[in-house]
Amino acid sequence: MDASALKGRRIIVGVGGGIAAYKACELVRELGRAGAEVRVAMTEAARQFVTPLTFQALSGHPVLTDYFDPSQEGNFGHLDLARWAEAFVVAPATADLLARLRAGMANDAVTTSLLAFRGPVVLAPAMNVAMWDNAMTQENVAALLSHKRFTMVGPGAGLLACGDVGEGRLADVPNIVAAVAARFSPGPLAGRRVLLTAGPTREFLDPVRFISNPSTGKMGLALAHAARSQGATVTLVLGPVGAVDRTGLEVVDVVSAEDMAREVLSRVEAADVFIATAAVSDWRPETRAPQKVKKGATPAPENLRLVRTPDVLAEASRRVAGQGHRPLLVGFAAETERVEEHAREKLERKGLDAIVANDVTAPGAGFGTETNRVTVLTRSGARQELQGSKDAVARGILDLLRTLPRPGQGG
Ligand code: CTP
């Protein structure tokens, strides 16, 4: 994290009414330590948990609690606050506060200031897991994040204050500080559009059965988040992988290889980088029965006829081939033997700029692991080995990609 990005920045912390409000005290202090100037606005519910005096002492400024109070409004009211600030953090963003923000309401010190504010907003939600999982909360969050100005950090999973276990904990304070800092530091991939595929595909033979593989999409997600944190606009075309952190990403959910190909081909020309990490099923059943195939079916479906699915990466490569400004194309090669030889063959065959070769039989590599060990090979002949957590490997891959010449510019 580059906390120096916060030096001299003017930040509002909007505190909602939840038990995590006490952690907002530490957030205000840490933002101050990083050199930011902080002012606090509190909802009425927040004042049930922490007193304004605490925040006044920590921020060194009076706290906005009541926009009907003439002394507060006359001094530095909600409009002054909104004009003054360069970033707005809502922590904890409770279910109720998110709902009111989404509705554009202005019925307390936090919502009024936020509605009048035009700059970047960081939401740090915290609530009970059932409230977080509720479709209404999820819709409110999705609607808020559809505005480019809004980003979210957390919530984390773990033991909640109410005794439940699950998602709903306020993100750790250093992560919130980092998320705010990220709004000020453009990052090396600022303005770049990164398109990725991740996860498995499912090729159904009837409504209840499919061909798939154990991919969890972790490496692709790690790359997506690394690119996002370096300032890129990230679109992730994602096969079925269950609940994952979608913060800051545009996620396009797909099921089959054909869906994935369609969604990628409609977007690849606009991308600056396309990274294919998905474990796409190479075959699908030739036909898909409209109803569940019964055991006693005649003729017995013992022989499943398979046909090839589209090669998403190869088709994307053909689509952009020869274009003056085409995206950098990066593939993954999951191999079990003669790893580099097979990977280099794929690099050539699919017309790629780089390929990340992965020996899935090596310990600490492959499907579902937290770590990875890869060798990146580039068209220009560079070779680099990377090892560590999937996040570290993701950053290493992006660092290497940044050194490659942009296609169509002598590369
Ligand atoms: N890929 C893809 N669409 C497919 C198959 C693969 O986009 N239908 C992409 C993967 O995301 C990966 C790269 O192509 O980036 C290599 O995938 P892999 O399955 O290892 O290669 P294949 O071309 O399927 O070759 P083989 O099965 O012979 O190993």
Side-chain angles (χ1 to χ4, degrees), residues 69-350:
D69 176 344
S71 69
Q72 287 192 18
E73 272 305 303
N75 184 14
F76 202 79
H78 68 282
L79 292 178
D80 301 311
L81 201 60
R83 270 188 228 112
W84 165 85
E86 295 170 280
F88 200 127
V89 197
V90 185
T94 58
D96 172 73
L97 189 47
L98 287 168
R100 288 187 291 120
L101 291 175
R102 189 256 169 115
M105 288 172 74
N107 54 354
D108 63 25
V110 176
T111 50
T112 357
S113 318
L114 195 128
L115 200 62
F117 178 66
R118 296 175 197 270
V121 179
V122 176
L123 302 172
M127 66 197 73
N128 165 271
V129 57
M131 293 168 90
W132 172 251
D133 284 343
N134 193 303
M136 283 179 273
T137 304
Q138 290 300 316
E139 280 165 24
N140 291 336
V141 167
L144 287 164
L145 294 180
S146 70
H147 301 282
K148 281 201 163 43
R149 288 194 302 125
F150 284 71
T151 53
M152 183 167 77
V153 53
L159 179 65
L160 307 179
C162 53
D164 282 352
V165 175
E167 272 199 326
R169 280 166 60 102
L170 187 74
D172 291 339
V173 167
N175 290 352
I176 304 177
V177 174
V180 182
R183 305 305 303 259
F184 293 112
S185 37
L189 292 178
R192 295 296 174 88
R193 284 154 302 180
V194 176
L195 176 67
L196 295 120
T197 63
T201 63
R202 285 181 183 173
E203 313 299 330
F204 279 85
L205 50 124
D206 73 10
V208 297
R209 301 183 181 95
F210 56 79
I211 298 175
S212 192
N213 61 66
S215 167
T216 54
K218 280 195 179 128
M219 194 60 233
L221 272 149
L223 272 162
H225 284 294
R228 174 76 191 89
S229 69
Q230 294 186 11
T233 306
V234 180
T235 303
L236 179 63
V237 181
L238 183 64
V241 290
V244 294
D245 179 8
R246 295 163 173 247
T247 311
L249 310 176
E250 184 203 357
V251 180
V252 182
D253 291 293
V254 296
V255 176
S256 68
E258 268 167 40
D259 297 341
M260 187 174 274
R262 189 181 57 247
E263 299 298 343
V264 165
L265 291 175
S266 68
R267 291 174 169 83
V268 69
E269 282 160 297
D272 296 302
V273 184
F274 172 47
I275 309 178
T277 76
V280 184
S281 178
D282 289 321
W283 289 278
R284 66 169 171 82
E286 186 177 38
T287 54
R288 175 177 173 163
Q291 306 299 339
K292 182 181 172 187
V293 178
K294 308 299 277 183
K295 275 194 287 297
T298 44
E302 264 120 31
N303 292 317
L304 192 58
R305 283 187 63 84
L306 300 175
V307 294
R308 291 296 302 272
T309 56
D311 186 317
V312 181
L313 177 56
E315 287 200 9
S317 173
R318 273 197 294 280
R319 171 72 58 99
V320 299
Q323 290 184 358
H325 174 82
R326 68 160 176 83
L328 201 68
L329 299 169
V330 184
F332 270 65
E335 306 292 346
T336 56
E337 50 149 7
R338 308 216 309 273
V339 176
E340 291 192 27
E341 186 187 326
H342 282 143
R344 193 159 285 285
E345 183 273 322
K346 278 176 196 171
L347 181 139
E348 293 298 334
R349 175 159 49 88
K350 301 194 187 193

